[in-house]
Amino acid sequence: MSKAKLHGQIPAPDAVLTVLGETPGARIVDHDCRKAAGSRGSYEYSLDYGLVLVRRGGYWRDVNGRGASLGPTDAFFERPFVEQRIEHHRDTGDRCTSLWLSENAVCALAGDASVPDEPITTTPSIDLQHRELVAALRRGIDRFEFDERLARLVGALAECAIPGRFTARRSTTRSNHDRVVQFAREAVVADPADVDFGELAQTLGHTRFHIS
């Protein structure tokens, strides 16, 4: 490891961090950064996985020796021990939605832990899901809606980053598809208040994205 610093142990006096919501294995934070244009952070790394979606402004991100300019139609995953550096080039700052994800959560939501370091160009549908999730968390939602919205957003981004990641794994026959649907329906009917779609997805050998 180089002289990179551990993310989370770096002072951030020019940023306002607000936890929007938490669920086992995931935390969603509103990151309002107010650093002046030209500010360059030190190289840093994390011990966990992350997913960042830019909502306003933008910055330059270096990772693995490659740089890219990011704005409100970009997102990127973060992997443990992968170094990155952010350089701010807008006087108006930037605002992002940052997700902390455990390895189990990444596997459950994104199919596996093989997520890309390169930025992902979002789609209008993903942008809408992202902003609806933020608005819903601020309004206040229950655990079921939180998990459902999170699964759809992360799953859509994973599929956008690697097309076919989920679609290639869908049931290849009508009978298999019907079996999954029937099993899910029976689970919901049996215990509509406490059914855990994450556990149900694991039982069926699918991701939460598929069950949703």
Side-chain angles (χ1 to χ4, degrees):
M1 182 63 62
S2 67
K3 295 181 180 180
K5 299 179 180 179
L6 177 62
H7 182 68
Q9 295 184 355
I10 302 175
D14 299 314
V16 177
L17 307 180
T18 305
V19 176
L20 299 176
E22 294 184 81
T23 192
R27 180 185 305 115
I28 302 180
V29 176
D30 173 36
H31 189 151
D32 186 1
C33 185
R34 303 169 184 179
K35 289 185 177 180
S39 300
R40 176 182 292 182
S42 59
Y43 278 101
E44 60 184 63
Y45 66 95
S46 176
L47 301 179
D48 301 292
Y49 288 85
L51 174 59
V52 178
L53 300 96
V54 183
R55 298 208 316 273
R56 175 178 57 77
Y59 43 78
W60 181 269
R61 175 179 179 252
D62 271 315
V63 60
N64 286 332
R66 295 183 178 182
S69 181
L70 306 177
T73 58
D74 294 301
F76 59 88
F77 281 98
E78 297 173 315
R79 295 187 297 119
F81 300 107
V82 174
E83 297 179 14
Q84 65 176 351
R85 181 172 64 179
I86 302 297
E87 181 176 349
H88 300 269
H89 53 264
R90 296 173 183 264
D91 287 324
T92 54
D94 53 78
R95 197 163 192 169
C96 301
T97 304
S98 299
L99 282 69
W100 166 83
L101 301 167
S102 69
E103 184 173 359
N104 286 340
V106 169
C107 291
L109 297 170
D112 56 50
S114 300
V115 292
D117 297 319
E118 297 76 16
I120 304 164
T121 300
T122 60
T123 65
S125 175
I126 289 174
D127 292 337
L128 180 60
Q129 290 181 54
H130 168 207
R131 284 159 176 76
E132 286 182 338
L133 172 61
V134 172
L137 288 171
R138 285 175 172 161
R139 182 183 70 245
I141 54 178
D142 59 23
R143 167 74 183 280
F144 177 85
E145 185 177 352
F146 187 152
D147 290 347
E148 185 76 5
R149 289 183 179 275
L150 182 62
R152 288 183 179 277
L153 178 61
V154 178
L157 278 163
E159 177 70 20
C160 188
I162 308 175
R165 187 181 188 116
F166 290 125
T167 53
R169 297 181 185 180
R170 290 177 180 167
S171 300
T172 57
T173 66
R174 182 67 183 178
S175 60
N176 284 340
H177 174 74
D178 290 344
R179 179 183 63 83
V180 172
V181 171
Q182 185 60 33
F183 194 103
R185 284 176 176 170
E186 291 176 356
V188 172
V189 171
D191 194 358
D194 296 321
V195 62
D196 189 317
F197 279 86
E199 293 181 0
L200 182 60
Q202 290 183 343
T203 300
L204 293 171
H206 288 267
T207 65
R208 173 63 188 262
F209 180 80
H210 283 122
I211 299 302
S212 297

